[in-house]
């Protein structure tokens, strides 16, 4: 695999946050003498506007040639009226699926400096450190058959298929057990096995896998209870593993525990360590061009890239330390603003982190 990094700014605030993350990326490349090349391409609505499709073949070809991909965000009302296959989100789903990026890691970490920005009481969230591992290329997001059909009575019916094979479950299960081993050694598998067969098989398969990881304490939870427990007592969780749709929902909830989804990075990995790194938040069309977007989730995604695709813990630590120092200094975008802090722009946050690299 080459050492190229492909940058996909995407839509709305995507280019603004990517500008700052790329500044940080270039700074670590210089400081640590990394031999990598940065390339840029379009994805999402930006790609549709230029090429008529959300994930054009040249973007896909560059992605296949890269070790890591850094993505801003895709989507926005401008493209909502398009046919489903042409929508920006489909570009992202195609990229995830064609690159086999099955393991989505979404850490929800409470930065002590932001403890009062969470909507929950500080004692509930202080010290929070959860890793949600979401299966990303299967489940109901990709299950066939799917569609909208006309019934005999003339009424339309929408349908999707929720399915997981044992090998798909084992593959994501292993990532989760391995992650738990190097963290707090506790894994909670989330399913709806009281109602859905596909997730009953999920529970059975994860339970079988547990015999290979005796050092990890495995628990199971239904997704509705997990949603409640995340809000009630989030610190009971260490690593959470779940399917595509439940992971989408629970990771947004977990993000809000930390004060702002603007702080949450993510990594989506294939079996060889190629990864797509992106903030967990969306493209925020309401604040595009205002310099109000928080670039830290994207900057922290660069740290994850260094850790998982380049195996450079030292560089990841440097970036995370720089982010911590910027928060210590009281610089805040509106989403993480609190009393006596200094409100600054997207660019000022990016510059401040870069200066500390
Ligand atoms: C996410 C997003 C995506 C998803 C959308 C944009 C398709 O919500 O990464 O969580 O549902 O996976
Ligand atoms: Mg989501």
């Amino acid at each position: 695999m080459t050492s190229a990094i492909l940058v996909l700014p995407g839509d709305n605030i995507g280019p603004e946050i990517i500008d700052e993350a790329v500044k940080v990326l270039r700074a670590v490349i210089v400081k640590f003498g990394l031999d990598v090349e940065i390339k840029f391409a379009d994805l999402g609505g930006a790609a549709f506007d230029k090429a008529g499709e959300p994930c054009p073949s040249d973007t896909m070809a560059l992605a296949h040639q890269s070790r890591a991909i850094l993505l801003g965000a895709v989507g926005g009302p401008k493209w909502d009226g398009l046919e489903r296959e042409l929508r920006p989100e489909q570009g992202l789903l195609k990229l995830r699926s064609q690159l086999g990026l099955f393991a989505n890691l979404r850490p929800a970490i409470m930065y002590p400096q932001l403890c009062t920005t969470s909507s929950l009481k500080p004692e509930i969230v202080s010290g929070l450190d959860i890793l949600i591992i979401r299966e990303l290329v299967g489940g109901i997001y990709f299950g066939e058959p799917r569609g909208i059909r006309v019934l005999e009575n003339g009424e339309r019916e929408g349908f999707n298929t929720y399915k997981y094979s044992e090998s798909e479950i084992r593959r994501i299960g292993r990532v989760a057990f391995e992650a738990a081993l190097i963290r707090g050694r506790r894994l909670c598998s989330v399913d709806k096995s009281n109602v859905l067969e596909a997730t009953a098989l999920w529970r059975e398969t994860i339970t079988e896998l547990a015999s290979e990881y005796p050092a990890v304490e495995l628990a199971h939870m239904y997704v509705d209870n997990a949603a409640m427990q995340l809000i009630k007592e989030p610190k009971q969780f260490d690593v959470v593993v779940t399917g595509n749709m439940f992971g989408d929902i629970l990771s947004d909830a977990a993000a809000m525990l930390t004060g702002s989804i603007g702080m949450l990075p993510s990594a989506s990995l294939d079996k060889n360590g190629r990864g797509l790194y992106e903030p967990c938040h969306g493209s925020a069309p309401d604040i595009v061009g205002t310099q109000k977007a928080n670039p830290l989730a994207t900057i922290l995604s660069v740290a994850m890239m260094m850790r998982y695709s380049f195996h450079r813990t030292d560089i990841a630590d440097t970036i995370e330390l720089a982010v911590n120092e910027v928060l210590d200094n009281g610089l805040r975008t509106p989403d993480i603003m609190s009393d006596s802090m200094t409100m600054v722009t997207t660019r000022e946050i990016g510059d401040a982190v870069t200066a500390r690299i």
Side-chain angles (χ1 to χ4, degrees), residues 239-256:
V239 180
V240 173
V241 65
T242 189
N244 207 341
M245 181 169 59
F246 297 160
D248 178 44
I249 299 166
L250 293 180
S251 61
D252 266 33
M256 261 342 270

Side-chain angles (χ1 to χ4, degrees), residues 89 92-93 96 106 134 136 141 244 248 252 278 280:
E89 292 78 2
L92 175 57
L93 294 175
R96 288 173 176 171
R106 299 191 162 187
R134 165 186 177 195
L136 203 59
Y141 269 52
N244 207 341
D248 178 44
D252 266 33
E278 54 174 322
C280 287

Side-chain angles (χ1 to χ4, degrees), residues 26-322:
R26 291 197 199 279
V28 295
I29 288 174
V30 171
K31 176 170 168 132
F32 292 89
L34 284 182
D35 181 19
V36 299
E37 193 188 345
I38 304 180
K39 294 183 178 168
F40 289 83
D42 292 312
L43 185 76
F48 174 80
D49 288 347
K50 282 192 209 162
E53 48 181 323
C55 185
S57 54
D58 52 344
T59 298
M60 191 57 88
L62 283 170
H64 275 291
Q65 291 157 19
S66 308
R67 173 178 296 260
I69 301 160
L70 181 66
L71 169 65
V74 296
K78 180 177 170 197
W79 303 281
D80 280 350
L82 292 173
E83 276 169 62
R84 182 158 298 273
E85 308 80 73
L86 296 176
R87 287 199 208 148
E89 292 78 2
Q90 293 303 315
L92 175 57
L93 294 175
K94 181 173 162 193
L95 201 60
R96 288 173 176 171
S97 158
Q98 294 211 351
L99 293 175
L101 304 170
F102 70 95
N104 183 214
L105 277 44
R106 299 191 162 187
I109 294 171
M110 185 78 232
Y111 284 80
Q113 302 91 332
L114 302 182
C115 215
T116 55
T117 61
S118 173
S119 39
L120 296 191
K121 298 189 195 88
E123 64 268 28
I124 306 273
V125 290
S126 74
L128 184 78
D129 181 354
I130 304 178
L131 176 60
I132 296 190
I133 299 188
R134 165 186 177 195
E135 199 292 326
L136 203 59
V137 296
I140 198 165
Y141 269 52
F142 293 95
E144 299 281 348
R146 63 190 298 158
I148 298 174
R149 62 190 161 205
V150 183
L151 300 175
E152 273 173 20
N153 67 3
E155 191 190 2
R156 290 187 308 155
E157 176 186 69
F159 60 101
N160 289 87
T161 303
Y162 192 133
K163 59 180 165 191
Y164 271 117
S165 68
E166 290 176 294
S167 57
E168 286 176 302
I169 302 166
R170 257 187 243 114
R171 178 171 76 164
I172 192 71
R174 280 191 202 288
V175 172
F177 277 107
E178 297 288 342
L181 272 180
I182 55 171
R183 288 175 46 101
R185 300 186 167 213
R186 285 183 298 117
L187 176 62
C188 179
S189 172
V190 172
D191 60 44
K192 188 71 187 175
S193 59
N194 50 345
V195 178
L196 306 173
E197 287 82 354
T199 74
L201 184 67
W202 176 284
R203 185 176 286 219
E204 201 183 305
T205 308
I206 295 282
T207 305
E208 277 164 22
L209 201 56
S211 63
E212 294 177 35
Y213 298 91
V216 176
E217 186 191 312
L218 173 67
H220 300 277
M221 210 178 263
Y222 297 140
V223 62
D224 48 350
N225 185 29
M228 181 174 76
Q229 296 298 331
L230 264 179
I231 312 301
K232 185 174 174 230
E233 204 190 322
K235 282 188 269 186
Q236 71 184 281
F237 296 104
D238 174 21
V239 180
V240 173
V241 65
T242 189
N244 207 341
M245 181 169 59
F246 297 160
D248 178 44
I249 299 166
L250 293 180
S251 61
D252 266 33
M256 261 342 270
L257 301 173
T258 70
S260 169
I261 197 168
M263 294 299 298
L264 261 78
S266 79
S268 306
L269 307 173
D270 75 357
K271 59 181 192 308
N272 302 316
R274 175 186 278 134
L276 167 75
Y277 300 84
E278 54 174 322
C280 287
H281 61 70
S283 70
D286 52 323
I287 56 166
V288 62
T290 61
Q291 282 285 309
K292 283 183 180 162
N294 185 349
L296 289 176
T298 318
I299 291 171
L300 291 166
S301 298
V302 176
M304 290 191 90
M305 176 193 291
M306 291 298 138
R307 181 164 285 126
Y308 292 104
S309 286
F310 291 89
H311 309 291
R312 290 296 300 264
T313 311
D314 55 335
I315 304 181
D317 288 347
T318 302
I319 297 171
E320 285 162 2
L321 183 69

